[in-house]
Amino acid sequence: AQEVLTAYTELETGLTDARFGAKDGISGLVKKLRGLAVMCGRIFIASWEGELEEAERLAERFLGSLHAVSWNEFPEKIKIRTPEGYAHYGLYPETYIHSARDFFMDRRPVEAVAVGIRSIGTSLSAVAGAELERRGCRVHSFTVRPHGHPFKRAVVFDHALAAMVKSLSGRPFLIVDEGPGLSGSSFSSVAERLSSLGVPDGDIIYFPSWEP
């Protein structure tokens, strides 16, 4: 199940990067890709929990939805890279199941927004969002790609994505990624952008891979 999660979210990351470049955005097709990512997260969690029949049922739904995507809207070639956290740093996505579970038990949100920082945050946010969804929370999700110097990353939202964030204000926003690294600028750049769009600081929650 992790292989499916990793392979699909690598594809999603490459497609989203190709679609938006330096300015992150949202579209109907990208929302479909995110929905499929959260479904992959559900498959991964069901497998991890030993719920094999549920994993098979979700896998059938996933494959049917995957075949229905309009792939001709994307370029013929994209860049895909295996996330470093999985390849080199022993990062396990199942740890984000427990983090999401703890968050749900603490806050009991009816709705939440899972924001993945590409690239590895694409899969990690899918797992966190899937666990919240599994517990009855309605999940909205999108991914972003901070750019610039490693110690001073910045993230830019297009009008559609900024409008969506404003419309979702009042719900908790989970920023999900590995790290933080030496500066934490990827996490902070996303938090600053959300804050500038009216999301209260108390509703911005970091989901890192370690406690800095």
Side-chain angles (χ1 to χ4, degrees):
Q2 182 173 345
E3 289 79 5
V4 174
L5 173 71
T6 303
Y8 173 76
T9 51
E10 285 176 5
L11 174 65
E12 181 195 3
T13 295
L15 292 170
T16 307
D17 281 340
R19 172 66 178 80
F20 291 113
K23 181 180 286 190
D24 287 300
I26 199 73
S27 70
L29 189 53
V30 168
K31 285 182 180 179
K32 287 182 182 178
L33 296 180
R34 267 282 81 191
L36 286 169
V38 175
M39 195 181 299
C40 271
R42 290 286 297 273
I43 295 168
F44 173 76
I45 294 169
S47 177
W48 176 255
E49 298 288 351
E51 301 168 356
L52 300 184
E53 289 185 4
E54 175 69 0
E56 290 178 4
R57 184 186 68 82
L58 289 167
E60 288 181 4
R61 278 183 54 200
F62 170 75
L63 289 173
S65 300
L66 191 65
H67 287 306
V69 172
S70 301
W71 299 106
N72 59 351
E73 295 188 33
F74 291 105
E76 292 184 4
K77 294 182 179 181
I78 59 172
K79 291 183 179 180
I80 291 179
R81 185 173 64 181
T82 301
E84 291 183 356
Y86 296 148
H88 304 297
Y89 302 128
L91 179 59
Y92 297 98
E94 54 266 29
T95 60
Y96 286 73
I97 302 174
H98 300 293
S99 295
R101 189 174 300 166
D102 290 345
F103 169 74
F104 181 84
M105 297 302 292
D106 181 57
R107 294 282 290 263
R108 301 283 181 175
V110 175
E111 291 186 61
V113 186
V115 184
I117 298 179
R118 301 194 298 273
S119 59
I120 198 169
T122 307
S123 57
L124 299 176
S125 62
V127 171
E131 177 61 19
L132 293 180
E133 192 178 76
R134 185 168 173 258
R135 294 181 173 272
C137 176
R138 184 183 178 192
V139 175
H140 311 268
S141 189
F142 60 91
T143 65
V144 296
R145 170 78 77 177
H147 293 274
H149 190 279
F151 281 16
K152 197 175 182 180
R153 299 286 194 201
V155 64
V156 181
F157 292 1
D158 70 9
H159 176 75
L161 183 55
M164 188 180 83
V165 168
K166 289 178 181 178
S167 73
L168 293 172
S169 184
R171 299 154 180 83
F173 280 72
L174 285 54
I175 305 176
V176 189
D177 196 19
E178 66 179 344
L182 292 174
S183 70
S185 69
S186 290
F187 272 105
S188 62
S189 67
V190 180
E192 288 171 2
R193 188 69 185 113
L194 295 176
S195 181
S196 74
L197 293 169
V199 179
D201 289 349
D203 286 341
I204 300 173
I205 299 95
Y206 292 127
F207 271 56
S209 60
W210 67 288
E211 186 176 353

